[in-house]
Amino acid sequence: MVESEASTLAQKGCPPPQIVAKNFHQTGKVNNKSNRWYYECIHCSTNGTSSRIEGRDNNHIRHLTDPVRCPNVPPTVRNAA
């Protein structure tokens, strides 16, 4: 799926929380009927260790607050999460 197509489709539902929108890129739709999306952390993708995070159960917030999973996140973002 093309990135512009993915962002167009994502605008149909509720917008993601501000912290998610600022720190993650939407990469593609989950292959089921859940209407969820996969995200990629912008802080992890800078050093090539990006991970695919499914947008559910506060996975975004847990990723940002865990120093093992996301060591490159700035302290201000970690505290805001």
Side-chain angles (χ1 to χ4, degrees), residues 5-80:
E5 187 179 322
S7 62
T8 304
L9 292 173
Q11 293 174 358
K12 290 183 179 180
C14 296
Q18 195 75 14
I19 193 157
V20 173
K22 288 183 178 180
N23 294 293
F24 293 92
H25 292 291
Q26 202 172 45
T27 58
K29 192 169 172 93
V30 176
N31 194 14
N32 59 22
K33 295 181 181 181
S34 67
N35 200 24
R36 293 187 182 126
W37 292 83
Y38 286 115
Y39 292 86
E40 183 178 273
C41 177
I42 62 169
H43 306 290
C44 293
S45 62
T46 57
N47 67 353
T49 61
S50 63
S51 57
R52 229 166 103 162
I53 301 167
E54 187 175 345
R56 64 186 280 271
D57 297 336
N58 290 328
N59 286 339
H60 305 98
I61 305 301
R62 282 187 279 180
H63 176 81
L64 290 175
T65 56
D66 189 355
V68 175
R69 284 194 231 168
C70 191
N72 300 328
V73 68
T76 56
V77 174
R78 194 179 308 275
N79 289 337

